[in-house]
Amino acid sequence: MDGIGHLAKIEGKILTEEEMQVESGNTSDDIAVELSDFDFRFQTGLPLVLNGVNLRVPTGTRTLLIGANGAGKSSMLRVIAGRHFHSPSKVRVLGRPAFHDTSLSGEVAHLGERWGYENFGDVSVKELVASVEGADAKRVEMLMEVLEVEWDWKIYRLSDGQRRRVQLL
């Protein structure tokens, strides 16, 4: 996978991708993310950023994506999030083509460096959460406690780390 590693934690044990497939017995219905012999470049004529990537991430697992600077980790995450065009059979999320199935945007999110908070003005976390249609109030409360987020925090006044915690709500 050209500098990209794939690990998942199952029952406290860290497994490689190959061990995950054997140990978990996952079928295609149990796969959250799948890349099949995937190549990616930003434009024709430029070198490949990702070359022949095969990856299966089972649902319900935590996955650590590691690699050197420039190995293509962020590019791969943007592709999985549907931000770059690709063949529908090469990148699938929840069994659906990541770029082509726009309904995925209501079910998955890419938590990147910029997530649009600049467009909200200096709103509080409470105002931001209230603007999200269909937010699960119990889940938000639980996450706020676990992540130590306060309702009265103002988005523009937060550190990058605090903004990322708010983004998880």
Side-chain angles (χ1 to χ4, degrees):
M1 289 195 337
D2 278 354
I4 298 175
H6 176 82
L7 303 172
K9 190 173 183 180
I10 297 177
E11 297 181 75
K13 180 180 174 190
I14 295 179
L15 304 174
T16 65
E17 180 179 2
E18 293 78 22
E19 291 170 322
M20 271 193 316
Q21 297 307 311
V22 171
E23 191 153 317
S24 68
N26 286 317
T27 66
S28 60
D29 291 341
D30 297 325
I31 303 301
V33 175
E34 183 169 20
L35 281 75
S36 302
D37 195 27
F38 179 69
D39 296 334
F40 178 73
R41 70 182 81 218
F42 286 100
Q43 86 184 60
T44 305
L46 291 179
L48 289 171
V49 175
L50 300 167
N51 185 8
V53 175
N54 290 293
L55 173 72
R56 289 174 61 127
V57 178
T59 57
T61 62
R62 293 181 183 170
T63 302
L64 174 64
L65 183 61
I66 57 174
N69 289 343
K73 301 176 300 293
S74 295
S75 296
M76 186 168 83
L77 291 173
R78 283 192 301 274
V79 165
I80 291 168
R83 303 256 173 100
H84 294 289
F85 180 80
H86 55 78
S87 170
S89 64
K90 297 286 185 174
V91 181
R92 302 188 68 78
V93 175
L94 303 175
R96 302 176 342 238
F99 178 83
H100 299 83
D101 189 336
T102 57
S103 69
L104 283 168
S105 66
E107 299 176 57
V108 297
H110 174 248
L111 303 179
E113 293 176 21
R114 297 270 182 210
W115 48 278
Y117 66 86
E118 307 88 351
N119 301 324
F120 298 124
D122 198 17
V123 299
S124 68
V125 170
K126 185 174 187 170
E127 293 167 304
L128 182 63
V129 170
S131 73
V132 177
E133 189 176 319
D136 181 338
K138 283 185 179 181
R139 178 180 178 274
V140 170
E141 285 287 344
M142 185 269 305
L143 285 172
M144 289 196 55
E145 184 176 328
V146 168
L147 299 172
E148 298 178 349
V149 172
E150 301 294 331
W151 285 115
D152 60 348
W153 284 1
K154 295 286 192 171
I155 300 301
Y156 271 117
R157 299 175 200 166
L158 301 179
S159 69
D160 285 340
Q162 289 171 319
R163 280 192 199 112
R164 290 189 190 278
R165 289 168 24 209
V166 170
Q167 193 177 11
L168 291 170
L169 298 177

